[in-house]
Amino acid sequence: MRVGLRLTALAVLGYAAVAYWIFRPTPSMLAHTIPAFGGHAGDALFHTWGMNHVARTLFSDPLHLFDAGIFYPARSTLAYGDHMIGEGILGLPIWLATGNPLLHFNLLTLGSFVLGATTAFVYRRQTGGGLAGAVAAGLVFSFTPFRLNSPLWPQVLLTFAMPLALAAWVRWVRDGRRRDLAAWVGWWVVHSLMGMYVMFYFAVVMGALALAAVAWAPVADRKRLTRGTVAAPLLAALLLLPTLWPYLVLRRTQRHVRTMGFGTDWTFLLPGIGTWSGTLLGFDGRIGDTIASFGPGLFTSALVLGGIVAARRAAATPWERFLWRTNLLGLAASLLIVFVPIELQLRLPGFDMMRMTNRAFHVGLVFAAWMAGAAVDRLVALAPGLRLRAAVASVVALLLVLDAGTAPRERRRMPIEDDLPAIYRAVRALPDDVLYERTDELDGAAEALYFSIFHGKRLVNGYSGFTSPGPAYVNQRLFEFPAEPARALLHELGVRAVLIRDVSPAALDARLAAMPSAHTRVVAREPRAALVHVEEPAPAPPPAAVPLPRSGWTVTASPGETTVPAVLDGRRRTTWSVPGAGSTAPALTIDLGAVHTVAGIRCVAGG
């Protein structure tokens, strides 16, 4: 059934009231702070910078959108993390109206709860759900401990387009109208622009549902269904290709994949902090001193499980049975991704770009919400009389709000344009286009990105989820600044401006004292920060490096002695291989037979 604008507007107002009650935002909090988790705000600052970069660049210089001005002179550096294109576009009016990147970030994050709840309401309602069940579905989908505890990551919170994509897909499967097929593809693309995690995991689950529909859907024209099922993901991929291409290039040229990740333990599904049902039974979200569970409250989980049974018993028609089966499949597929060991997932293309399997739970929530809505509709139907039904619906909604858990209150205050620190005003006044900002603080690199929003310089360093070999080397070498190798590298890169931030004024004084006074000039100074201009003369060129002859070498290895000759045979197709890891780390020892000056070693990995 269609959901009218009036009912949708009422849902928005209701969910906005819930969001306000849970988060209690103030104008100062929205305009001047950023969320933090465990004392760190790096990811939130990184995503704030990404959203701002997209908002600034998408329409002014779209062909260079991915050349984001970090890790200079590397290219396509926006693809070192989530590109934030969807967030940049969605929040563009906020940025244009206020120029405040914190307000841009915070309003989108807060709005994600209202938007997600409303679209989950629409999905449940359009697929035959009652009003009470649709309200419950919105609450379960959007206001749940895992989402409440993800304020630093708007790319996994802005999943509002996913229920709309599913609703359009259901309409198209049932009626076969082209406008619904176009809406399915369109909302799929919008959803995918929000983040790589939700894009990939939803694509996997949506693909499973679409293929199952070809076999399950009670439709007469199965050829039409098959054609659309093949065409829709291809069209979505084609529309998304400009945003995916930089990732594919980096993967192809620089092996841009995750080599490690974090799996999810079953304790993740235990009730999160602040749920009333979990608290009554002794769950507080912690195991020891660690927050280890982010699952819905026990009342909410009971509704989901009950809805699986209730929706099946209430499915009187083939179409209703199809809806039950597809939502159950979506929930099962999402949980399978969450709990399959990360070691297995990292062996699969696509999955090897993902770092945390629990992100798939954001996808599974839409199907869990649909099932919870089915349970609520059944509970309401059991009550005799209109007034009692309204009372049951109200009590269930209240219990779901209380079962949402508590939102973390940790935040960090950050300056904006009006109160920008003087040291960054000095940076903005420099004629130099590129800046190296050195800091020992854990979030220092992310703060450097944030302040670049205001001073407009490109950065030779950065903060990201991935780092390619070149930037990784540059970061490591420049961290030695003001040592001579770091200054020489800055000279080779053409970087003259260096902002040093240190842990104390004394530590900063010691670092400045180590710089050669003849070639460095302090432009501006604060107690814990100094802006330095480096005017290092060009170093003398080193002698030309030539490959050493292979004669006279001896090689020993532990373990893997049988394949050691592959190190010396001059062929890249043969490699020295090491057996399974033991208690002793493997070692390769090369004796050149004489004293040589070695400029470098070229290592070719065999897989």
Side-chain angles (χ1 to χ4, degrees):
M1 79 179 54
R2 291 284 182 177
V3 181
L5 290 177
R6 182 178 179 182
L7 187 58
T8 303
L10 289 174
V12 169
L13 292 175
Y15 292 129
V18 174
Y20 179 81
W21 183 82
I22 290 176
F23 292 100
R24 313 290 173 87
T26 65
S28 176
M29 183 192 86
L30 295 173
H32 297 284
T33 69
I34 200 79
F37 190 87
H40 306 299
D43 283 2
L45 294 169
F46 174 54
H47 298 315
T48 299
W49 164 83
M51 292 159 55
N52 176 267
H53 169 78
V54 171
R56 286 176 179 268
T57 311
L58 187 61
F59 299 105
S60 62
D61 193 11
L63 295 180
H64 295 93
L65 177 66
F66 277 83
D67 294 331
I70 58 174
F71 298 112
Y72 170 87
R75 304 290 303 275
S76 300
T77 51
L78 192 63
Y80 285 11
D82 276 301
H83 53 59
M84 309 303 288
I85 292 175
E87 290 82 357
I89 297 174
L90 189 63
L92 187 61
I94 303 171
W95 169 249
L96 292 176
T98 67
N100 185 332
L102 300 177
L103 193 63
H104 184 179
F105 179 97
N106 289 323
L107 286 180
L108 278 191
T109 303
L110 185 62
S112 70
F113 292 90
V114 180
L115 287 174
T118 303
T119 57
F121 169 90
V122 170
Y123 174 53
R124 175 65 195 170
R125 190 77 172 139
Q126 284 193 0
T127 51
L131 183 59
V135 170
L139 293 173
V140 171
F141 175 68
S142 206
F143 300 100
T144 192
F146 190 44
R147 286 176 55 85
L148 296 184
N149 283 277
S150 301
L152 282 72
W153 305 283
Q155 75 274 33
V156 297
L157 292 177
L158 283 161
T159 52
F160 67 92
M162 182 171 55
L164 298 178
L166 288 168
W169 171 70
V170 168
R171 295 195 306 269
W172 172 73
V173 171
R174 182 188 61 203
D175 302 328
R177 292 177 300 195
R178 291 183 178 179
R179 68 183 184 185
D180 292 325
L181 178 64
W184 174 30
V185 173
W187 286 119
W188 191 347
V189 169
V190 171
H191 170 78
S192 300
L193 288 174
M194 297 300 161
M196 298 299 291
Y197 275 110
V198 294
M199 178 204 73
F200 180 76
Y201 288 143
F202 180 65
V204 172
V205 175
M206 185 75 254
L209 296 182
L211 290 175
V214 173
W216 292 347
V219 297
D221 191 351
R222 205 158 298 277
K223 289 185 178 179
R224 180 269 303 175
L225 187 60
T226 302
R227 289 194 301 269
T229 298
V230 172
L234 292 177
L235 181 57
L238 183 63
L239 293 172
L240 290 168
L241 185 60
T243 67
L244 297 176
W245 186 252
Y247 294 94
L248 297 174
V249 170
L250 287 173
R251 181 187 179 92
R252 173 69 177 169
T253 59
Q254 300 189 26
R255 190 63 181 169
H256 213 51
V257 297
R258 301 276 191 187
T259 56
M260 55 81 70
F262 299 96
T264 306
D265 191 76
W266 68 271
T267 57
F268 171 86
L269 286 180
L270 292 175
I273 294 177
T275 60
W276 71 266
S277 58
T279 301
L280 285 177
L281 292 179
F283 296 103
D284 66 352
R286 296 179 182 273
I287 295 180
D289 295 328
T290 304
I291 299 177
S293 58
F294 297 95
L298 294 176
F299 176 73
T300 305
S301 297
L303 285 179
V304 175
L305 295 175
I308 295 175
V309 177
R312 178 65 184 91
R313 291 181 175 178
T317 67
W319 180 252
E320 290 172 339
R321 287 192 291 272
F322 168 75
L323 288 175
W324 174 79
R325 294 172 75 180
T326 52
N327 280 279
L328 183 60
L329 175 62
L331 178 58
S334 302
L335 292 178
L336 184 66
I337 295 172
V338 171
F339 292 109
V340 165
I342 187 67
E343 296 81 7
L344 297 179
Q345 296 198 33
L346 289 175
R347 298 176 185 176
L348 302 175
F351 285 93
D352 57 9
M353 294 288 286
M354 307 295 114
R355 188 179 183 187
M356 306 182 91
T357 61
N358 61 24
R359 301 298 194 207
F361 193 64
H362 287 286
V363 176
L365 279 170
V366 68
F367 307 107
W370 191 92
M371 292 298 179
V376 173
D377 283 338
R378 180 59 179 164
L379 285 174
V380 171
L382 292 175
L386 185 60
R387 290 186 177 180
L388 191 54
R389 290 180 180 181
V392 170
S394 299
V395 169
V396 170
L398 177 61
L399 292 178
L400 282 173
V401 171
L402 296 175
D403 224 27
T406 54
R409 303 297 180 190
E410 185 180 0
R411 303 190 70 87
R412 178 184 298 178
R413 188 175 182 87
M414 294 296 295
I416 54 175
E417 182 77 25
D418 294 337
D419 53 355
L420 194 66
I423 197 76
Y424 287 102
R425 295 181 186 274
V427 170
R428 185 168 55 188
L430 283 177
D432 303 80
D433 185 46
V434 184
L435 174 75
Y436 169 55
E437 183 164 343
R438 192 208 179 281
T439 177
D440 289 321
E441 297 173 345
L442 188 60
D443 285 348
E447 291 184 5
L449 265 66
Y450 173 78
F451 285 114
S452 73
I453 295 173
F454 303 104
H455 61 63
K457 308 298 184 183
R458 290 181 290 175
L459 298 173
V460 77
N461 53 322
Y463 179 101
S464 64
F466 299 94
T467 305
S468 293
Y473 167 78
V474 169
N475 268 351
Q476 184 179 10
R477 177 52 56 88
L478 291 185
F479 198 72
E480 303 169 5
F481 186 87
E484 190 279 331
R487 303 199 316 272
L489 180 56
L490 284 174
H491 186 277
E492 290 297 318
L493 293 173
V495 179
R496 302 292 181 265
V498 178
L499 176 61
I500 306 172
R501 286 196 283 166
D502 225 316
V503 295
S504 67
L508 180 61
D509 288 338
R511 194 174 298 278
L512 293 176
M515 295 190 304
S517 58
H519 306 305
T520 56
R521 175 171 54 91
V522 177
V523 177
R525 171 71 194 267
E526 290 183 353
R528 294 178 52 223
L531 180 60
V532 179
H533 206 264
V534 181
E535 299 166 346
E536 195 84 11
V546 296
L548 286 174
R550 296 182 181 272
S551 60
W553 291 16
T554 59
V555 180
T556 56
S558 175
E561 289 284 355
T562 57
T563 58
V564 165
V567 178
L568 296 173
D569 65 5
R571 300 169 59 194
R572 292 191 175 208
R573 293 184 179 273
T574 58
T575 59
W576 168 53
S577 60
V578 183
S583 59
T584 304
L588 181 71
T589 304
I590 303 174
D591 185 346
L592 299 180
V595 176
H596 295 277
T597 299
V598 178
I601 299 173
R602 178 174 296 144
C603 174
V604 180

